[in-house]
Structures are given as C-alpha cells and as structure tokens.
Amino acid sequence: LFVTGYFFRGMEINEIMLASIAALVSVIPEGLPAVLSIVLAIGSHHMARRNAIIREFTSVETLGSVTTIITDKTGTLTQNMLTVKKVALPDGREWEVSGEGWSPVGSFFRGGEVVEPGDDPALVRLLQVAGNSNDASIRHDLDTGTYTLVGDPTEGALLVLARKGGLPVARQMEGHRLDDLPFSSHAKFRASLFQTPSGEKEILVSGAPEKILALSGRMDADGGRDDLSSEDRKRMESLINEWSGRAMRVIGLAWKRVAADHEEIEESDVRHLVFAGIIGMIDPPRPEVREAVMKCRDAGIRVIMATGDHLQTAMAIARETGIVGEVSPDVAPALTEAQLGVLDEREFGEAVRSTHVFARLTPAMKLRICETLQDQGELVAMTGDGVNDAPALKKADVGVAMGVMGTDVAREASRVVLADDNFSTIVNAVEEGRIVFANARQTSYFLLSTNFSEITILISLVAMGYPIALTATQILWLNLVTDGLGDKALAAERGHGRVLLEKPLTKKDQILNKEVMPFLLGLTILMTGLALGVYFHFLPAGIDKARTAVFSTMAFSQLWNLLNMRSMKQSVFAIGIFSNPWVVMAFVISAVVQVLIIEVPLFVSLFGFFPLSGPEFLAMFALSSTVLWAGEAWKLFGRWVRREARS
C-alpha cells in the first residue's frame, strides 16, 4: 500500500504513512493469540463439565486429532464394581456366591442349595487367604447404609467374599501381618507374611491364576494336602479359560508355611506353594461404553484394549463393548505379551497395526505398543492409573490418567485426568477437542477474510489513482468494531452434532488448506467488489461520503460474514441463527455501534464521517447481506459435491 501510494501515485507521505500503518495493524490478526487462548479455555471448561480435567492447555486441541485410543479394561471400560460369583477348589468342587457390590451380604450355593462355608476346611483356607492377602478396606456409612471401598477393587472383592463367609473367617486369622509384597505387573501376584496366634508364620498369595498355579506344588483337599497332579492342573486351567471366556476376572489363591525366624518376604519366597483354589468375579461393562466405541468408529478413531487381565476375559469384554466383532479363525483376535515378545520388529509392527486386544501386558509393553503406533503415524491417547504407567502416559500424545483409582504419579505424568474413570468421557473429550480446533480454524478464517478484504480495497483504489478509501482512524475503528467482538463470539461456538462424523485430523493439517482457500478468496473478492461499488456510487457526492459508505458496507459485510463462519459446511439456518447467543449479541451490538458512530456529531467530526440517511443505511445493510447468501450457496454446492462423491 505504501509503495503503491507514495512511489507510483505521489500521495502525501503523512497520509499514506498513517494509512499504511493503520492497514498493517488491521490486516495482521493480532487478536488471534488471545482468541485461541479463549477457545482453549472454553474447551477446557466444557471438558471439565464432562469429567475430563485438562492439565495441559494445548491438549484440548490435541484430543481432537487423536486417531488411536489405547485403553485399560478395568474401571475404564467396566464399572469397577467387582463382585465374586464363583469359587472353585483344586479338587473340582465349585460354589456360587450371591450378593452385589461392596456390601458383605450374600450366601454360598452348591447344587442350588445354601451351604455353610465354615463346614469345609479347604474352603475356609481359601477364604482366609482371600481376606488377608489384601490391602483394601470397606467402610460402612451407618446413616445411609452404603458401603464404600478404600483400595484396589480386586482386593476389595476378595475382602467382601471373605466377610460373606463369616466373621471368624475374615477376622485376619486372629493374627497380624509382618510384611507385605505389593502386586507387581511383572510378578503378577501379591503376597503377605502373617503370624498366626499359635506363632506359626505363613505367606498368603493372590494373583494371576496361571502364575499361582505354576508356582504351586501341592493343594488343600479333604482336610489334608496332596500333590498337585497334572489332572488337577488341567482341571484348573479348563475352569480358568471357561470363566475368563464368560468375562470373569479370575484370581488364583495359594499359601505356604515358613520358618518361625522369617521376618521379611521377597519375591523368591513365593514358590512351592499350596494351591488354595480360584475365584471368579464379574466387572460388567459400563452401559454407555458400547455407544462410545461406536462413536469412535464413526469418527475414524481406532480403539485398542491393553490390559493385564487374562486373554479370554479381555476378549469377552472386547466383544461386549464392540471393540472386536466376530473374528475369523485364521485371524488372531488378541495377543498376550508372551506372544508379542517372540516377534521381530516387522512382525511386531504388523501385529500392533491389526490387533485390537492385548492381554497380560506389563507397562513396558504398553509403552512399546504406543511408540510403535506413533512411528506408524498415529496420534495416540493412552489411559493409565499406576506408577508404572507413567512412562507410557508421558510418551503418548495425550496421556489420560484415572482420577478416582489413579495414582498421583500417573496424574502428574498425564495431560488429561478423568474425574469418573469412564471411557465414554474420553470420547466426549475428543468431541470437545474437535470443536476447539473447528472454532480456532473458523475464527482464523473470519479474521483473514475480513482483513484481506480491507487491505484489498485500499490497495485497489490507490493503484487506480483514486483517493484512499478509508482514513487511518477509520481503518483502526473498523478493525475494532468487526473483529473485536466477532472473533470472541465465534470462540464460543458449540458443536453441531457432526464433529465425530468427520475423519481425524492429521499432524500435518494446517489452519489454511486447499479446500477452504477458494471460499475465502471468493468472499474477499465479493466484499471488495461491494465496497468498490458503493465507493464509486457515492464519490460524486464527495470523498467523505464515499468513505462513510465504504466504511458502513465493509462493517456490515463482515458482520454477515460472522454468520457464515459459524460452520464451514452446514447452513446457518440449519444449525440455528440463535443457537449461539454470543454471535447474535456481537452482531447486534456492532451494528448499533456502527450506526451511532456515523450519526452522533462528536464521532462524525472525530472520524471524518458524512451522515447517511436511513434508506441509505438500509440499502447498504441489505446489499452487504449478499456475503451471507453467497456463503450459503457455496455450502450448498459443497454438500452436493460430497453427496455425489459418496454415491
């Protein structure tokens, strides 16, 4: 503008310098950083209301670009309300257990009849191990009558089972704990060292049933202890697979007596155990998870289950939640860490690309799966709750920690915390993330299209040798009136119910792309053309009136364009003109201010305006609405093209 006006048109340097500086301020979207912060803040607020707490601001937008979600099973896909339903001893005897949740009220059934668990020494021994290889506690609120778990849900379910078996059984063996070995995803068990009232010391163990079975050499039977035969092992393995296939979490229990001088417990002590039996507990899927998984599928997001549970249990839950469907016999529907460990890099990459369920995983393997997916170009969100999950949460593009059952370390390593530990909350957060990106993009389009039209009209008239269309103060005020309220209003735009039907964004996606450039270019040309038209129409009446007409036309055009930018694909009439009250307020306030600044004498003298008549205002307001109708026509054409492409 300066080069054209000063060197080629010989304009006064004061006039062209001021106009050029004003145009520079106007054309650069200096409000965009503030608007983006507002967009992210609004997105964070909406996510918090939907139980997703954002710890890192930019993760709001990143969530909208996620292409793969790696989720744990227990508590995220399931209700985390474990209830023991089955008990079996090594000799094959089974019991069913009634009751729900953390209430220690229920009975033991065998053959359809209620039995007293205290009459069977082997069952008593199993219940003692269940109740004492345990760090959980159950609190009873006498006012409400409710029971609340404190601790790990699996251990809580074992404690509730022991209490259902009778108070003497669950009274911590009337002894005390000397040492404890917490559950380890590597060892796949936990163990406690107890001293009984008689002075004997015992190690009580619970964990993955196949691991406990492998560490055991004997079993409780008929009041004594026999060697654990191959037939006994096969019987237990068959039951483990059967129960796991029915979506049960199966826990193995065992114990051993140790020397009186044993004061501490180490992992190497947990061997040559006496196998006490297995326990099957259910943790039903959350009812809303299946719909959330379907939403992910529609949104082009792949859902992977990565759990430490048994393979069959993981597959049963994966089928119920829709993560996997019916799988042909020649395709591996799920893989364990042991199976993954024997694959070379190429085979491992292919397995990660095609498999949706991984079981018996350690946190280290979860991290490797995450890294492999990222190397394949995926943008990964990963859930976790334990201390060992921290590296994977840190490595993932969006680490998602559990707010209820998660550790402080996991929460510190994550970018998002789920206040309800619910998978569907992640999907809601992804939806909000896409809305945030859409709002950032549409606000940018609004600022760019309006600012481009301003600079284009200024350069065009100067290049043609006519007086500049706007003074410096008029340019700055125009920028303030149209951009100052409109961009903030667009930041508050809500989703229009279709964001999860779009494909995920890629890391390479830009704010400006080839798809939208014709639209923005067309709007710029149209707004410039309207301004040129009124300029030449009113120029015979004087340059002041021509500038006032250009100012009004550009201001009204940009306000109509504000409605255009609420959605780049849907009609503003389809989404509802009044569905975003902030846009309506910005439109009305800006229009009123626009009229007042031209009609109030004080402002007329300050800005160099020429008062316009009512009909002239209405004519320019109606003429400027062409911008809206042109935008609607473009969107209609775009919908027709997409419909033809699908057909």
Side-chain angles (χ1 to χ4, degrees):
L1 179 62
F2 179 81
V3 169
T4 303
Y6 184 71
F7 291 102
F8 292 95
R9 292 302 174 190
M11 296 178 66
E12 290 289 333
I13 191 167
N14 289 344
E15 180 186 8
I16 193 61
M17 177 67 78
L18 285 174
S20 298
I21 293 174
L24 180 67
V25 173
S26 178
V27 78
I28 294 176
E30 72 283 346
L32 190 56
V35 171
L36 291 178
S37 295
I38 293 171
V39 169
L40 292 172
I42 292 172
S44 298
H45 176 66
H46 288 159
M47 288 184 184
R49 292 198 309 188
R50 302 177 79 173
N51 294 318
I53 312 301
I54 304 301
R55 297 189 65 253
E56 189 171 316
F57 220 24
T58 55
S59 297
V60 178
E61 181 270 329
T62 309
L63 271 166
S65 308
V66 163
T67 58
T68 301
I69 299 175
I70 303 176
T71 176
D72 195 7
K73 178 184 74 68
T74 304
T76 309
L77 297 175
T78 62
Q79 298 179 27
N80 212 21
M81 185 68 75
L82 291 163
T83 305
V84 175
K85 290 297 182 182
K86 288 275 193 178
V87 175
L89 299 182
D91 59 12
R93 288 180 294 156
E94 295 184 35
W95 286 263
E96 293 183 356
V97 185
S98 64
E100 297 291 339
W102 310 124
S103 172
V105 178
S107 302
F108 288 70
F109 294 84
R110 190 163 182 231
E113 297 182 358
V114 178
V115 297
E116 180 57 49
D119 295 338
D120 191 309
L123 181 56
V124 169
R125 171 92 293 199
L126 179 142
L127 294 175
Q128 286 177 332
V129 176
N132 292 283
S133 180
N134 204 305
D135 262 337
S137 61
I138 305 295
R139 294 177 180 173
H140 183 201
D141 189 327
L142 296 176
D143 294 331
T144 62
T146 57
Y147 292 85
T148 306
L149 167 70
V150 179
D152 181 77
T154 301
E155 295 181 18
L158 295 177
L159 181 60
V160 169
L161 173 71
R163 290 188 177 180
K164 288 177 181 178
L167 183 61
V169 171
R171 204 164 52 203
Q172 294 197 347
M173 299 169 54
E174 298 180 349
H176 64 279
R177 187 183 307 186
L178 300 177
D179 196 18
D180 201 52
L181 194 66
F183 180 83
S184 161
S185 58
H186 169 72
K188 293 185 172 62
F189 61 75
R190 63 157 289 120
S192 301
L193 177 63
F194 265 84
Q195 183 173 16
T196 66
S198 62
E200 295 178 323
K201 293 182 179 179
E202 295 177 343
I203 294 177
L204 310 179
V205 186
S206 62
E210 64 272 20
K211 183 71 173 182
I212 303 300
L213 195 59
L215 293 171
S216 301
R218 307 180 72 190
M219 69 176 188
D220 282 316
D222 297 327
R225 288 186 287 280
D226 296 336
D227 290 337
L228 199 60
S229 67
S230 59
E231 291 184 0
D232 296 324
R233 292 182 186 276
K234 289 179 181 178
R235 183 188 305 116
M236 287 292 96
E237 289 170 356
S238 176
L239 269 180
I240 291 169
N241 288 329
E242 178 189 339
W243 291 3
S244 298
R246 290 157 61 181
M248 285 189 180
R249 168 174 279 192
V250 184
I251 304 297
L253 302 169
W255 65 282
K256 67 181 285 189
R257 192 160 286 136
V258 294
D261 61 350
H262 215 98
E263 296 296 335
E264 295 181 350
I265 183 173
E266 297 181 358
E267 191 173 316
S268 58
D269 295 326
V270 184
R271 60 182 64 187
H272 309 303
L273 304 174
V274 179
F275 193 69
I278 59 174
I279 288 173
M281 55 185 71
I282 62 169
D283 185 11
R286 295 178 184 266
E288 65 273 17
V289 165
R290 188 175 183 87
E291 180 183 356
V293 171
M294 294 301 106
K295 284 184 178 180
C296 285
R297 189 165 297 166
D298 293 339
I301 301 172
R302 180 183 173 203
V303 180
I304 294 175
M305 179 197 295
T307 178
D309 275 357
H310 191 278
L311 182 67
Q312 296 299 327
T313 305
M315 278 302 297
I317 295 296
R319 289 192 183 97
E320 288 188 45
T321 55
I323 293 176
V324 297
E326 293 300 323
V327 184
S328 59
D330 58 334
V331 176
L335 293 171
T336 63
E337 178 161 338
Q339 293 169 318
L340 290 170
V342 300
L343 303 178
D344 60 31
E345 285 298 322
R346 184 190 63 79
E347 293 171 333
F348 186 89
E350 183 57 37
V352 169
R353 185 181 290 109
S354 59
T355 307
H356 288 76
V357 179
F358 298 96
R360 288 297 188 225
L361 293 187
T362 61
M365 183 56 75
K366 288 184 181 181
L367 175 60
R368 185 182 174 192
I369 291 172
C370 176
E371 291 175 334
T372 301
L373 286 167
Q374 289 175 320
D375 291 341
Q376 294 173 355
E378 301 292 325
L379 200 147
V380 180
M382 170 173 278
T383 69
D385 55 10
V387 174
N388 292 335
D389 290 326
L393 291 173
K394 202 75 174 176
K395 177 63 178 175
D397 297 286
V398 183
V400 183
M402 302 298 106
V404 179
M405 301 306 300
T407 61
D408 289 340
V409 174
R411 287 192 285 267
E412 286 297 322
S414 68
R415 296 186 178 188
V416 179
V417 177
L418 302 185
D420 57 0
D421 291 7
N422 193 336
F423 176 81
S424 62
T425 301
I426 303 175
V427 181
N428 293 337
V430 170
E431 183 178 12
E432 290 291 345
R434 291 193 175 186
I435 292 172
V436 163
F437 188 85
N439 287 352
R441 175 174 269 177
Q442 286 157 199
T443 303
S444 301
Y445 294 163
F446 171 71
L447 291 173
L448 292 175
S449 60
T450 56
N451 293 351
F452 284 173
S453 64
E454 290 175 16
I455 195 68
T456 303
I457 183 65
L458 295 174
I459 293 177
S460 298
L461 288 172
V462 169
M464 288 187 288
Y466 289 95
I468 195 164
L470 297 169
T471 65
T473 51
Q474 290 171 352
I475 294 171
L476 293 175
W477 183 259
L478 180 64
N479 191 55
L480 179 65
V481 170
T482 55
D483 293 357
L485 292 178
D487 52 8
K488 313 301 186 297
L490 282 177
E493 187 70 29
R494 298 295 299 137
H496 304 130
R498 298 181 58 86
V499 290
L500 285 180
L501 299 179
E502 305 289 339
K503 292 181 180 180
L505 301 165
T506 68
K507 295 180 180 180
K508 296 180 180 180
D509 273 352
Q510 304 295 323
I511 292 290
L512 283 174
N513 53 42
K514 294 179 181 178
E515 181 182 351
V516 77
M517 283 304 294
F519 182 46
L520 298 183
L521 184 60
L523 287 177
T524 300
I525 293 173
L526 176 59
M527 286 190 282
T528 302
L530 292 174
L532 286 173
V534 297
Y535 178 87
F536 288 119
H537 177 76
F538 286 100
L539 187 58
I543 187 61
D544 287 342
K545 188 162 187 177
R547 285 171 174 169
T548 305
V550 169
F551 180 87
S552 300
T553 302
M554 294 190 73
F556 289 142
S557 296
Q558 291 169 10
L559 291 180
W560 286 114
N561 193 34
L562 180 63
L563 300 181
N564 266 336
M565 295 303 168
R566 289 185 57 195
S567 173
M568 299 305 296
K569 293 182 178 179
Q570 291 180 265
S571 167
V572 68
F573 302 103
I575 64 178
I577 292 179
F578 301 102
S579 57
N580 185 342
W582 299 106
V583 168
V584 175
M585 288 172 59
F587 188 99
V588 172
I589 292 173
S590 297
V592 170
V593 169
Q594 167 67 17
V595 173
L596 291 178
I597 201 173
I598 294 176
E599 295 301 320
V600 175
L602 174 62
F603 294 120
V604 169
S605 60
L606 283 175
F607 289 95
F609 288 130
F610 189 94
L612 300 176
S613 66
E616 287 172 334
F617 262 123
L618 291 176
M620 281 180 284
F621 186 76
L623 182 66
S624 300
S625 69
T626 310
V627 173
L628 174 63
W629 308 123
E632 289 292 307
W634 178 269
K635 294 174 188 178
L636 181 63
F637 175 73
R639 290 194 295 272
W640 177 81
V641 170
R642 288 190 293 272
R643 188 165 55 249
E644 289 296 310
R646 286 194 298 268
S647 62

